[in-house]
Amino acid sequence: MSRYVLLFSGWLLLGAGFVSAQASLMGGVSYSTVRSQYLVGKKQGAVCWQAGFAFLYRFDSTARFGLKGEFIIEKKGYRQIIDKRYDFGFDYMSLPVLLNFTPNENYSLSGGLSFGRLFGTSVRQGLDTYRLYELGFVVEVNLFEKNRFGIYTRMNQDLTPMIHYYSLDELGNITGTIRDLKITDVVLGLRIRIPQ
Amino acid sequence: MKSLRTQTLLLILLLTAGCEPDYIPDPVDPRLPEFTEEGNNEAGAFINDDVWRSVESLHGDATQNLLTVFYTDADAIDLKFEGGSRVFDAIIFHLSGLGIQNEMDLLPLQGRKIVLGNDGNTGVCFSTYCDPDDPACRVTPGTGQLFFKTVKFDKKYAEVVIAGTFGFTFEDASGNPGKVTFGRFDYRINQIGTIP
């Protein structure tokens, strides 16, 4: 299913590129944290980043509502503090598909789903450990929407767990499956509108 | 556009480049290695709440065997997991009556849980620098289990992969109770007595 989702998102981006969509480059710094029921020790966030481009297609005459498709490379991660600090980093290629509402020329709101594919980790054999595909929820505020340069802030929330892992008891019996680890990251970034 | 594609590829390469660490951390408790079933030659456990992990070399730069499997009498073998914690170095399982004459005879152990403390099967841990025949070092095995979750023949490398979990109790030379918990192992064997 994930393959078809990515294909659909790619089609959406491509389609938007052929109509009068507004293209822009985007990039920013994020603070990434993890929600977990099972992680041992203290959890800490990590400073990460994202970069990519977006197409915004307005489909009404008032130009208030639109559909935005994005292609983003982003780094997410977190830290665990137990006997020492353990850092975990994850590299994703993400395709957010967002509904956009622009009440006035000063700001706009976007929200929707993000489909991500893990392509790198900071741990050995991480692509065998962590689930390759993720689904997330995105909400975003864009400032100075009509200007060439704008600012955006967004929150990404993972909806799907990153691990399906064995749960062991003290003797080593497998007692079940742990479905856990969801990353939340908050981004502050710059958007550069590409002139049409 | 070509320049942008090249830059994107370079960015992806940069993100994924770099040396891979040797250790695969457990995604929930990174003090221990992840429980894998691929012949990664790693093992770990808690011994009295201290972390015990398999090691690659014991003395200077010489590479020692991580796992030694050797015959102790006509129908018994010892599995010795070399490793280290604050107090203990190796974990040894003595297994009797399994009819193991060579490494291929390990294959029927697939999915089998061996109860320790019964029928001559035991698990102990001791310090390499302490003579197990010395009464001052003698560790008394207790009860527990050794679970061979995966035992498979890797045709590509002509090696047997054994992976599983373990946990058991023991009594140290001073009579203090001890326990080994959340143990996991994942080794390759090309012949009884040595590993690759």
Side-chain angles (χ1 to χ4, degrees):
Chain A
M1 189 193 82
S2 299
R3 216 171 294 168
Y4 293 111
V5 164
L6 284 174
L7 279 172
F8 168 75
S9 301
W11 167 83
L12 184 71
L13 282 176
L14 194 63
F18 282 100
V19 297
S20 50
Q22 176 60 60
S24 56
L25 298 175
M26 51 190 292
V29 176
S30 63
Y31 184 72
S32 179
T33 56
V34 67
R35 289 187 304 137
S36 167
Q37 279 185 291
Y38 296 97
L39 284 188
V40 173
K42 187 180 167 188
K43 299 182 285 288
Q44 274 187 354
V47 177
C48 301
W49 57 267
Q50 66 170 213
F53 57 86
F55 291 108
L56 172 60
Y57 172 63
R58 298 197 185 279
F59 46 67
D60 73 323
S61 58
T62 65
R64 279 193 179 183
F65 292 93
L67 189 66
K68 181 155 55 170
E70 298 174 346
F71 174 80
I72 293 175
I73 301 287
E74 57 187 340
K75 191 165 196 79
K76 303 182 186 182
Y78 64 91
R79 292 173 174 166
Q80 262 176 288
I81 314 286
I82 316 174
D83 52 344
K84 62 177 186 177
R85 193 179 89 187
Y86 297 88
D87 292 330
F88 293 88
F90 308 95
D91 303 316
Y92 282 93
M93 183 172 58
S94 298
L95 295 173
V97 179
L98 311 175
L99 287 174
N100 177 267
F101 173 57
T102 307
N104 60 54
E105 63 182 22
N106 294 319
Y107 74 98
S108 72
L109 306 170
S110 300
L113 296 176
S114 176
F115 308 95
R117 209 280 190 191
L118 182 67
F119 66 87
T121 71
S122 62
V123 297
R124 183 180 159 208
Q125 294 189 9
L127 296 182
D128 294 326
T129 301
Y130 298 92
R131 295 183 68 75
L132 292 181
Y133 294 96
E134 64 151 15
L135 180 67
F137 179 70
V138 180
V139 289
E140 178 183 275
V141 176
N142 273 277
L143 299 177
F144 315 117
E145 181 70 37
K146 299 293 183 192
N147 294 358
R148 175 99 190 269
F149 294 93
I151 295 171
Y152 72 95
T153 180
R154 66 166 48 178
M155 186 192 76
N156 300 313
Q157 172 62 62
D158 278 357
L159 298 175
T160 51
M162 291 176 67
I163 57 169
H164 287 191
Y165 188 58
Y166 294 122
S167 168
L168 300 179
D169 68 10
E170 286 195 345
L171 277 182
N173 293 306
I174 295 172
T175 57
T177 303
I178 293 173
R179 291 184 169 84
D180 198 37
L181 301 189
K182 294 178 184 173
I183 287 187
T184 302
D185 57 323
V186 178
V187 184
L188 181 64
L190 183 68
R191 179 186 45 76
I192 303 171
R193 194 151 60 100
I194 297 171
Q196 284 179 288
Chain B
M1 195 61 192
K2 202 184 269 186
S3 173
L4 180 63
R5 191 191 308 161
T6 306
Q7 285 168 18
T8 305
L9 280 171
L10 276 172
L11 179 65
I12 291 170
L13 279 171
L14 276 171
L15 287 172
T16 53
C19 300
E20 268 193 343
D22 293 332
Y23 174 63
I24 307 173
D26 186 292
V28 173
D29 189 344
R31 292 174 295 177
L32 294 177
E34 182 186 357
F35 174 48
T36 55
E37 301 168 70
E38 304 300 327
N40 286 316
N41 287 333
E42 284 189 344
F46 291 111
I47 303 181
N48 293 335
D49 300 326
D50 283 333
V51 175
W52 175 92
R53 279 195 353 215
S54 57
V55 295
E56 209 167 284
S57 70
L58 291 176
H59 305 291
D61 294 328
T63 300
Q64 302 285 322
N65 290 333
L66 299 176
L67 164 69
T68 307
V69 185
F70 50 92
Y71 301 104
T72 55
D73 59 44
D75 193 20
I77 60 168
D78 275 11
L79 299 176
K80 185 180 180 186
F81 298 174
E82 300 285 3
S85 71
R86 196 165 48 89
V87 176
F88 296 99
D89 291 329
I91 292 178
I92 299 182
F93 296 98
H94 179 79
L95 305 177
S96 300
L98 297 179
I100 293 172
Q101 300 298 313
N102 57 57
E103 63 280 0
M104 297 303 285
D105 290 336
L106 294 167
L107 295 175
L109 293 177
Q110 158 78 28
R112 187 160 166 187
K113 279 185 190 175
I114 295 175
V115 176
L116 303 173
N118 265 358
D119 300 325
N121 299 316
T122 60
V124 290
C125 37
F126 72 99
S127 170
T128 302
Y129 299 100
C130 201
D131 182 353
D133 292 327
D134 180 349
C137 295
R138 199 161 293 158
V139 175
T140 305
T143 58
Q145 70 179 33
L146 174 65
F147 175 36
F148 288 94
K149 184 176 185 298
T150 294
V151 183
K152 59 185 178 184
F153 182 65
D154 184 339
K155 289 180 192 171
K156 185 177 175 185
Y157 298 105
E159 294 161 350
V160 174
V161 172
I162 59 168
T165 63
F166 56 91
F168 58 90
T169 61
F170 64 92
E171 205 172 87
D172 69 15
S174 304
N176 299 314
K179 59 179 181 176
V180 177
T181 55
F182 301 104
R184 71 284 309 270
F185 64 95
D186 181 18
Y187 288 114
R188 293 179 165 268
I189 303 171
N190 59 11
Q191 64 181 60
I192 300 284
T194 62
I195 64 164

